[in-house]
Amino acid sequence: MRAYPELAGLHDLRAAGWSFRAFADDDGEIGGLVGWRETAACLDVLWIFDQHDCRAARFLRAAAADPGDVLWDRAGDLTTCVAALLGLPGA
């Protein structure tokens, strides 16, 4: 973590119940990581392409009035996206 302090945020997300999995790019190489956490009403997702290119979003779950609606989203670096996710209600 000393070499990449921004990865500390991933530890905080794991502690908050997040799961992570690598995903492949078009060439079959690791293209990044996707993280998610489900609650009764929402699905939170974080796509990590590199430490400077991340996307985060909160979606309504199927049991909600309009399932799949994006309630919130953010793009930016890893530190910014993780902090924003951890600041969401119910996070």
Side-chain angles (χ1 to χ4, degrees):
M1 296 260 200
R2 280 185 208 147
Y4 301 99
E6 63 274 8
L7 295 179
L10 298 183
H11 176 73
D12 295 339
L13 290 176
R14 294 259 318 158
W18 283 68
S19 298
F20 289 89
R21 178 167 292 170
F23 60 86
D25 63 15
D26 293 337
D27 297 324
E29 301 293 323
I30 293 177
L33 291 174
V34 61
W36 68 93
R37 184 184 68 160
E38 298 180 64
T39 66
C42 299
L43 170 65
D44 295 334
V45 183
L46 173 64
W47 295 272
I48 305 166
F49 303 101
D50 66 40
Q51 72 262 29
H52 304 291
D53 185 11
C54 299
R55 306 287 186 272
R58 175 172 273 188
F59 300 91
L60 283 176
R61 289 186 39 95
D66 293 315
D69 279 357
V70 176
L71 299 175
W72 171 92
D73 65 276
R74 177 72 46 99
D77 63 35
L78 180 58
T79 302
T80 299
C81 287
V82 168
L85 285 164
L86 289 171
L88 288 173

